[in-house]
Amino acid sequence: MDRIAVTGGYRLEGSLVISGAKNAALPLMCAGLLTENTLTLSNLPHLADIKTLKELIEGHGASTTVEDEGKNLGEGQVISFKTPVITNTVAPYDIVRKMRASILVLGPLLARTGEATVSLPGGCAIGNRPIDLHLKGFEAMGANIELEEGYVRAVTPGGRLKGGTVVFPTVSVGATENILMAATLAEGTTVIENAAREPEITDLANCLIAMGAHISGLGTRTLTVEGVKSLNGAEYAVMPDRIEAGSYAIAAAMTRGELELVGENLMDVMTGTVGALKEAGIEFTKTDHGVIAKLGTDKIKGINVTTQPFPGFSTDMQAQVMAMMTICDSASVINETIFENRFMHVPELTRMGADITMHGSTAIIRGVDQLLGAPVMATDLRASMSLVLAGLVADRQTFVNRIYHLDRGYERLVEKLSNVGAHISRDAGMGI
C-alpha cells in the first residue's frame, strides 16, 4: 500500500481550488437512474468512490460518457449518464461492500422498476450505521422488504410506490436522500418529516427539480414531493466540498499560513463549521472567487464543540478540528454524538505527542507546544486528514499509512498541498 510522507514546519500560502463535494456527487449520480434521458453532472471530483459508483450504475444499464475538464487542479470532471432501460436490479456485494453510499441506488431502482435487490453496504468503520430508516421509509410508501443472505430485497406491489408520510425518528442524510429520490416517481404526495437539512440534500433536490420533479420545503425539516410519471434529463454542477474547504482552512491556521479557498458560496455551505473555526481564531474574508482563511490570533484558541446534524458542527470535521486543538493555547472538549467509533484517530495523534484524554464519547485535548513526527495509521477518511494536518506542523517527518481512505474523499491532496508550500509526497508501495 502507498503511504504519505509529510515534513512539518512549512507555512502554506496561495490559492487552492475546492473540489466538488463527494457527499453531494454520489446521490446525484444515483439520480441518473431515475430517468431514461441524459443527466450530465459537472464538477465531479476524481475520487475512488466516484469510480466505484460509476461502475455500479453502469451495471444497472447506464451508459456513461466521461469528459475530464482538466483546466485547473480541483475543477473536476464531467460525466453523462443515460439509462433508457434498467437492465439489472441487483447491486452486488463485490461493489457495494466498498462504500456505504451504494445503498442510494435502492430508491431509484425501486421507483423506476418496482423492485431492487441491494447488498448491505460497507464503508468506513466509524460505527454502527444501520439502514433501517431507509427500509421503514420505503415500507411507508408501500414496498415489501425482505432481508436475506446479506441482501435487501424490495418489491412494490403494482409496480409503483405510493405517496405517504415518512417520519424519521432520527435525522439521517442517506435515508432522506433515498426516500427523496424514490418519491419523485411515486404515485401521489410524499411528505418526509424530520428530513436532514444538509446542503447536499438541497443540492440533490435542486437537481431533481431541474429534471422535472416537484419538491418543496428545501432546507427545512419537512420535504413535500408531488410524484410525477417520469423525469427528464438535465445538466447540473455539483456543489463545492464544504468538508474539504474546512479541512484546508484548518491547514492554513495550523501552519500560520494564508489560503484562498476557491469555490462558489463556500461560507453559505460551511455553516456550523465556520462558527467553530472562527471561535478557534480563524478569520475568513470573502473574495471574488471564494474565501481567504488564516489565523487571526497569536495562537489557536481552545474550543468546546459537539457534533450535530446540519446546521450544527459536522461530525465529518471532528477529527480535523481535534488535530488543530492539539496545538491550541489551552484545553478543548469534543463531544461526538453521531458515530460511536469516530475517535480511532486519538491513539495515532497521541503517538505524535498529543495530550488527549478519553471519557466515553468525549475527548479532552490539552494543547502542546510541538507535535512530533511518527509513523501513524489511518483508520477512516476524516481520521486520515487529521493525521496529515498534524504532520504539517510536527517536528521531523510523519508517515501516514493506509491512505486508500484519503483516495475516497480528498481529490489529489498531495498535489494541492504541494502547490501551496507543503513538503509532502506519496510513496508507492511503502505503506503497511
Side-chain angles (χ1 to χ4, degrees):
M1 298 181 186
D2 292 3
R3 70 178 183 181
I4 285 178
V6 188
T7 301
Y10 294 91
R11 183 176 186 268
L12 302 188
E13 186 172 11
S15 180
L16 192 152
V17 177
I18 300 301
S19 300
K22 182 198 77 163
N23 289 343
L26 298 177
L28 289 172
M29 292 170 66
C30 293
L33 293 172
L34 290 166
T35 176
E36 63 182 25
N37 298 308
T38 302
L39 174 64
T40 300
L41 300 174
S42 58
N43 200 34
L44 284 163
H46 299 79
L47 296 171
D49 278 10
I50 299 296
K51 182 178 179 181
T52 298
L53 188 59
K54 174 177 170 291
E55 179 183 352
L56 178 61
I57 291 172
E58 289 172 339
H60 295 305
S63 60
T64 60
T65 303
V66 180
E67 176 187 345
D68 193 335
E69 288 185 334
K71 296 176 182 177
N72 293 303
L73 186 63
E75 287 197 348
Q77 56 189 325
V78 178
I79 303 181
S80 295
F81 302 86
K82 187 171 184 178
T83 317
V85 178
I86 301 291
T87 58
N88 174 32
T89 59
V90 178
Y93 168 77
D94 284 346
I95 297 180
V96 178
R97 68 178 176 83
K98 297 178 183 178
M99 64 174 187
R100 182 172 178 79
S102 303
I103 195 66
L104 295 178
V105 301
L106 180 56
L109 290 176
L110 187 58
R112 181 95 179 267
T113 70
E115 63 178 77
T117 303
V118 180
S119 172
L120 294 173
C124 287
I126 58 175
N128 185 30
R129 298 190 287 177
I131 61 167
D132 58 308
L133 297 184
H134 301 241
L135 305 185
K136 289 177 181 177
F138 291 128
E139 286 178 331
M141 299 173 69
N144 294 328
I145 307 290
E146 294 181 355
L147 297 177
E148 56 182 31
E149 298 181 347
Y151 280 80
V152 175
R153 168 72 172 165
V155 178
T156 303
R160 190 177 181 191
L161 291 166
K162 305 292 184 181
T165 299
V166 176
V167 181
F168 293 128
T170 58
V171 176
S172 169
V173 173
T176 300
E177 291 167 340
N178 229 341
I179 300 302
L180 177 62
M181 286 189 285
T184 62
L185 295 180
E187 182 179 346
T189 301
T190 302
V191 178
I192 306 173
E193 298 283 3
N194 201 25
R197 294 184 288 164
E198 273 72 4
E200 293 81 5
I201 301 290
T202 300
D203 210 40
L204 173 61
N206 281 330
C207 178
L208 293 171
I209 290 170
M211 296 168 67
H214 298 164
I215 306 171
S216 60
L218 275 65
T220 73
R221 296 183 185 276
T222 302
L223 294 172
T224 302
V225 186
E226 300 284 346
V228 296
K229 290 185 176 181
S230 63
L231 293 176
N232 306 313
E235 295 181 0
Y236 195 80
V238 179
M239 64 175 277
D241 193 327
R242 60 193 174 102
I243 306 303
E244 184 189 40
S247 301
Y248 288 130
I250 287 175
M254 291 181 69
T255 64
R256 304 196 66 80
E258 182 175 320
L259 293 177
E260 181 183 26
L261 310 176
V262 178
E264 294 184 5
N265 304 317
L266 287 179
M267 295 296 286
D268 295 334
V269 301
M270 290 171 66
T271 301
T273 295
V274 165
L277 299 189
K278 284 184 175 179
E279 187 179 349
I282 300 179
E283 292 182 347
F284 294 92
T285 305
K286 287 186 178 181
T287 69
D288 292 340
H289 305 291
V291 62
I292 291 174
K294 66 178 181 179
L295 186 63
T297 59
D298 291 336
K299 195 170 184 179
I300 294 168
K301 298 178 181 178
I303 60 174
N304 298 335
V305 294
T306 298
T307 61
Q308 297 175 331
F310 190 87
F313 177 72
S314 173
T315 182
D316 281 348
M317 285 299 301
Q318 178 257 107
Q320 301 91 305
V321 166
M322 183 180 290
M324 179 172 63
M325 291 301 101
T326 63
I327 57 170
C328 72
D329 64 358
S330 57
S332 302
V333 177
I334 297 178
N335 294 302
E336 174 58 60
T337 68
I338 307 298
F339 297 123
E340 67 273 17
N341 290 341
R342 206 159 202 178
F343 279 144
M344 291 188 289
H345 47 281
V346 170
E348 304 306 302
L349 290 172
T350 302
R351 282 173 52 80
M352 300 178 67
D355 184 352
I356 306 172
T357 304
M358 295 294 304
H359 295 284
S361 60
T362 299
I364 301 172
I365 308 102
R366 296 173 178 85
V368 298
D369 292 333
Q370 180 68 65
L371 295 175
L372 304 174
V376 290
M377 185 178 298
T379 53
D380 63 71
L381 172 56
R382 306 308 173 185
S384 305
M385 188 61 181
S386 75
L387 299 177
V388 171
L389 291 170
L392 291 173
V393 297
D395 184 29
R396 301 187 299 272
Q397 273 195 315
T398 297
F399 297 97
V400 182
N401 294 287
R402 292 189 178 177
I403 59 170
Y404 55 84
H405 295 292
L406 279 169
D407 294 336
R408 293 184 51 237
Y410 286 91
E411 181 180 24
R412 298 174 179 174
L413 176 139
V414 170
E415 295 174 70
K416 287 188 177 185
L417 286 175
S418 294
N419 285 350
V420 292
H423 285 219
I424 183 171
S425 63
R426 180 169 181 148
D427 301 326
M430 297 294 292
I432 59 175

